Amino acid sequence: MTNEKILTKKFIFFAGKGGSGKTTCSASFALNLARKGFKILLVSTDPAHSLSHIFERKIGSKEIKIEENLWAIEIDPKKEARKYIKKIKESIKEVVSSVIVEEIKKQIDTAFLSPGVEESAIFDKFIEIMDKIGNPYDKIVFDTAPTGHTLRLFTFPELLESWIERLIERRLQVINLMKMASKVDESLRKKIERDPLIELLKKRREKFLLVRSYLQNKKNSCIIFVLDAERLSILETADAISLLKKHGIEVDGIIINRILTKINSKFFSKRKEIQKKNLDEIKTKFKEMIIGYIPLLESDIYGKESLEKIKFDKFK
Amino acid sequence: MKNKFKHSLAVISDFLEGAFKVKASSIIRKEASDLNDDFMLLLFGDFLGIPNPFSYFALEFLPLFVEELESWEKRISIRKSIVAEKAGQYDFCC
């Protein structure tokens, strides 16, 4: 995949092992595109956010303007979940008496504490961002969480789809039986003519389908893995790529980070030799997937000035 | 002769309806309500202690079920023998 090809995509995901440089790559990629004139939204889906750190300013759960053409957001799962639960409690209040509301509130709060809530909340916000009608951005760049989290995020729509599919099937069975019974009972017929639940379920299914099609049909999106030229990094990346493939999701490119260049110490010459071997392995394993190389720099990367200098399209 | 035949057909049909249709309808309704209980179990199983990895998304549908929720919980927790319940429906002796 060439860099020009990436520029045709609307959603660009940066994934990879913890500490491999996802935030650095996504932030510099977004910044450089914004300076070329594209309207860019940079989204962090990692609960342990680092966009704030790299841009040296507070970025929160609301879209915030970093500079001309560049906006950023850090999804806050706790905040999103709280917002969601509040909305549900309010719509329940409209339906039933306050006594029942109190009773149910307890159950909702228990659900709020159950495992998987943060993950679900992130995914829900993720759908919202991708699904936004009249999206003002040319491109949305995602700085994702370390591999494990991201694999879950990417395979979530498939799981949710099969769950909702089962629900729809069951609900239709109920409705069909009620229809049969209603041949005798007029009042029942009116009740089932338009089932609000089926409509809600189908609306949900559509959203899950949409996200999956964005991830699978690569007309609109591309996934880039960032890795170090290190043994464990190579293995984890290869595993992640093959797992995603099983779910019908292709990884489009990889960027190799922290490459040793000018070396004059004995210790580092040894490291460089090992790295050379690893680089060869990466080249045979990932071949034309490689889209960029980033050298090991003498200083840490943070702030717009250093981000600007990282241009993976300039490397060999 | 033809009219007489038609009339007796109508009588028979009324008799059959009274004898079977109402009963059949109530059986179907019971079946529908059982299926609906199962459906709610898929959605809100975690209220009863059955972990549901999708409970977060299930909450979205809760407002449509709040009125039924209490009676559903009672029904589903006393469900001991599905066989006996079903047999009772068809006037078998148990």
Side-chain angles (χ1 to χ4, degrees):
Chain A
M1 168 171 263
T2 59
N3 290 301
E4 292 82 63
K5 234 181 184 170
I6 297 174
L7 291 181
T8 65
K9 311 292 184 187
K10 169 127 187 158
F11 305 106
I12 299 123
F13 298 90
F14 284 87
K17 198 171 181 307
S20 61
K22 296 175 290 295
T23 305
T24 311
C25 284
S26 56
S28 70
F29 182 75
L31 188 75
N32 285 316
L33 278 187
R35 291 190 174 170
K36 275 183 188 149
F38 292 101
K39 274 202 166 69
I40 306 286
L41 175 66
L42 179 58
V43 182
S44 164
T45 65
D46 187 349
H49 297 294
S50 41
L51 285 183
S52 290
H53 301 147
I54 207 157
F55 282 108
E56 301 182 285
R57 60 169 296 169
K58 181 139 180 47
I59 294 168
S61 56
K62 280 207 179 97
E63 289 158 36
I64 199 171
K65 194 170 180 177
I66 303 278
E67 62 166 57
E68 193 59 33
N69 286 334
L70 181 60
W71 286 262
I73 179 176
E74 290 175 334
I75 297 176
D76 182 339
K78 284 216 175 72
K79 227 179 216 168
E80 295 305 328
R82 238 178 276 132
K83 230 167 45 188
Y84 174 74
I85 304 272
K86 200 176 152 219
K87 217 174 84 194
I88 288 163
K89 280 181 181 166
E90 266 159 22
S91 56
I92 286 173
K93 259 186 224 155
E94 284 167 22
V95 194
V96 289
S97 72
S98 52
V99 186
I100 300 179
V101 169
E102 278 313 307
E103 192 53 44
I104 285 167
K105 259 186 185 166
K106 266 183 243 156
Q107 280 164 326
I108 295 179
D109 289 333
T110 321
F112 183 66
L113 294 172
S114 64
V117 163
E118 289 205 357
E119 218 171 21
S120 302
I122 289 178
F123 184 69
D124 213 17
K125 183 72 182 174
F126 182 69
I127 296 176
E128 193 194 307
I129 289 170
M130 290 180 98
D131 184 37
K132 211 173 190 178
I133 304 160
N135 210 320
Y137 305 105
D138 296 322
K139 291 177 193 314
I140 299 178
V141 179
F142 291 91
D143 173 24
T144 68
T147 317
H149 259 102
T150 302
L151 292 179
R152 284 283 295 167
L153 186 73
F154 285 173
T155 52
F156 217 6
E158 204 184 327
L159 293 174
L160 281 164
E161 245 176 82
S162 70
W163 173 67
I164 214 130
E165 208 57 67
R166 227 163 49 227
L167 287 174
I168 290 175
E169 204 180 286
R170 285 285 165 109
R171 188 66 189 175
L172 286 175
Q173 277 175 1
V174 174
I175 290 176
N176 277 340
L177 278 174
M178 300 233 276
K179 260 188 195 147
M180 277 162 70
S182 75
K183 284 193 176 127
V184 196
D185 191 341
E186 276 300 321
S187 67
L188 202 59
R189 189 175 304 169
K190 283 201 186 88
K191 225 171 103 187
I192 55 171
E193 240 158 40
R194 218 177 129 267
D195 185 35
L197 182 66
I198 277 286
E199 284 172 31
L200 208 59
L201 285 168
K202 284 186 175 162
K203 229 166 81 190
R204 258 291 165 191
R205 179 174 64 179
E206 240 160 67
K207 291 206 165 155
F208 296 149
L209 271 169
L210 182 92
V211 171
R212 191 157 66 98
S213 76
Y214 278 148
L215 290 171
Q216 289 187 338
N217 170 4
K218 303 318 267 302
K219 221 172 79 199
N220 291 308
S221 69
C222 77
I223 299 169
I224 297 165
F225 267 73
V226 184
L227 80 161
D228 285 314
E230 261 174 18
R231 185 100 205 110
L232 297 184
S233 222
I234 298 171
L235 296 176
E236 189 173 308
T237 306
D239 281 353
I241 290 174
S242 67
L243 194 125
L244 284 175
K245 202 171 204 163
K246 262 187 217 148
H247 289 270
I249 299 169
E250 290 287 337
V251 172
D252 304 273
I254 67 163
I255 290 170
I256 309 155
N257 196 8
R258 296 194 193 92
I259 293 174
L260 300 169
T261 46
K262 299 161 222 144
I263 300 298
N264 43 25
S265 89
K266 205 175 165 196
F267 175 82
F268 277 110
S269 323
K270 186 87 203 289
R271 288 263 4 146
K272 197 180 171 183
E273 241 171 71
I274 295 169
Q275 201 182 56
K276 172 105 200 352
K277 247 195 257 156
N278 286 335
L279 277 172
D280 288 341
E281 190 183 341
I282 291 174
K283 278 175 198 157
T284 49
K285 240 189 185 126
F286 303 109
K287 290 184 194 103
E288 67 283 354
M289 278 172 106
I290 301 168
I291 57 166
Y293 297 86
I294 299 173
L296 179 69
L297 303 171
E298 54 188 10
S299 54
D300 283 349
I301 302 167
Y302 61 90
K304 286 188 202 164
E305 243 171 71
S306 57
L307 280 175
E308 202 185 13
K309 283 182 203 139
I310 298 173
K311 289 186 174 133
F312 15 90
D313 47 353
K314 287 278 165 67
F315 294 103
K316 53 185 167 166
Chain B
M1 180 65 185
K2 214 177 179 183
N3 275 343
K4 214 175 176 185
F5 178 65
K6 259 192 179 164
H7 176 71
S8 35
L9 257 187
V11 170
I12 292 168
S13 130
D14 279 353
F15 168 74
L16 285 176
E17 186 167 329
F20 298 111
K21 208 170 170 183
V22 174
K23 175 74 180 165
S25 155
S26 88
I27 289 175
I28 295 169
R29 284 186 80 150
K30 177 75 172 75
E31 188 71 35
S33 118
D34 282 353
L35 263 179
N36 193 49
D37 282 355
D38 294 350
F39 175 81
M40 285 175 74
L41 197 60
L42 276 179
L43 275 177
F44 309 118
D46 59 320
F47 289 178
L48 307 169
I50 305 165
N52 175 6
F54 309 115
S55 60
Y56 185 83
F57 292 95
L59 283 181
E60 185 184 348
F61 310 113
L62 187 60
L64 292 169
F65 287 100
V66 266
E67 283 164 309
E68 302 174 47
L69 206 63
E70 211 190 326
S71 60
W72 165 75
E73 267 181 55
K74 273 184 197 141
R75 273 200 309 278
I76 208 95
S77 53
I78 56 162
R79 244 197 207 178
K80 284 198 183 99
S81 162
I82 292 173
V83 179
E85 208 180 273
K86 283 269 175 267
Q89 234 176 288
Y90 293 98
D91 296 335
F92 294 146
C93 159
C94 318

